[in-house]
Amino acid sequence: MLDRSPLGTRLDEAAAEYRALVEKVSAGGGSSPEFKAAVKRIGELEEIVRLKGEWEETAARLDEARAIAGDETADGEFRTLAREEADRVSARRAAIEQEIGGLLDPPDPRDAGNAIVEIRAGTGGEEAALFARDLFRMYGRFAERAGFSIEIYDSHHSELGGLKEI
């Protein structure tokens, strides 16, 4: 099935870019910056190409199920099963479209970079230092759960175990 929707067009373009990059990488080029960028882009496009195949497969299954469900000569129970299958496939297709939508947007180049977070106790003396400590623990736990690594460059502790700055 040839899909002329905007999503279908974007998927076709992504698949064409993927094939071109795979050809380019297959030809060699080793360690040049362009070769490395092509390999990285292939990695980004692989999931899109896989989902494109699944998206097209669901379209064919949906067309088939709808054709059977609308066939007046088919058995009533068979038509009911076809309607149920059409509902399931339609839901899966919507989920795939949502997943693809997030992947088609180009990644933000800043996502691969590092961040420096500085926490300082504000006005409030020891209580502010204790709050800064709690804030650091909260951000630290968030970073661990998100799979980020933490490196402490400098820190100054207060007398009661709080953080003046970190």
Side-chain angles (χ1 to χ4, degrees):
M1 179 178 107
L2 187 60
D3 192 319
R4 299 279 183 212
S5 70
L7 179 61
T9 302
R10 289 184 70 192
L11 287 173
D12 290 340
E13 290 169 357
E17 180 184 1
Y18 176 80
R19 286 189 301 273
L21 288 172
V22 168
E23 269 186 38
K24 181 179 181 179
V25 167
S26 297
S31 62
S32 72
E34 293 148 0
F35 181 83
K36 290 178 182 178
V39 169
K40 183 177 179 184
R41 184 67 179 147
I42 286 171
E44 294 168 356
L45 291 172
E46 276 178 335
E47 183 68 8
I48 294 171
V49 171
R50 184 190 69 76
L51 287 171
K52 177 186 185 288
E54 195 173 336
W55 184 72
E56 289 171 344
E57 179 186 321
T58 58
R61 286 177 46 205
L62 187 59
D63 288 345
E64 183 180 331
R66 286 180 177 163
I68 293 170
D71 185 4
E72 296 295 326
T73 62
D75 181 43
E77 187 176 329
F78 194 57
R79 290 175 57 199
T80 303
L81 289 173
R83 274 191 228 99
E84 291 172 2
E85 175 69 7
D87 291 342
R88 275 193 304 275
V89 172
S90 182
R92 177 62 188 141
R93 185 169 166 89
I96 292 169
E97 288 174 354
Q98 187 174 7
E99 195 173 343
I100 287 172
L103 293 173
L104 279 177
D105 296 328
D108 190 339
R110 295 173 292 187
D111 288 347
N114 297 324
I116 296 177
V117 178
E118 182 176 351
I119 300 173
R120 292 179 177 256
T123 308
E126 200 60 44
E127 203 170 293
L130 292 172
F131 176 74
R133 180 198 63 197
D134 293 343
L135 191 63
F136 171 70
R137 285 183 182 164
M138 179 185 70
Y139 279 125
R141 287 188 186 125
F142 169 78
E144 286 174 12
R145 288 184 181 152
F148 302 134
S149 61
I150 298 175
E151 182 179 334
I152 299 174
Y153 290 112
D154 189 27
S155 66
H156 299 283
H157 296 273
S158 68
E159 294 173 10
L160 294 177
L163 288 169
K164 292 180 182 177
E165 64 182 24
I166 187 162

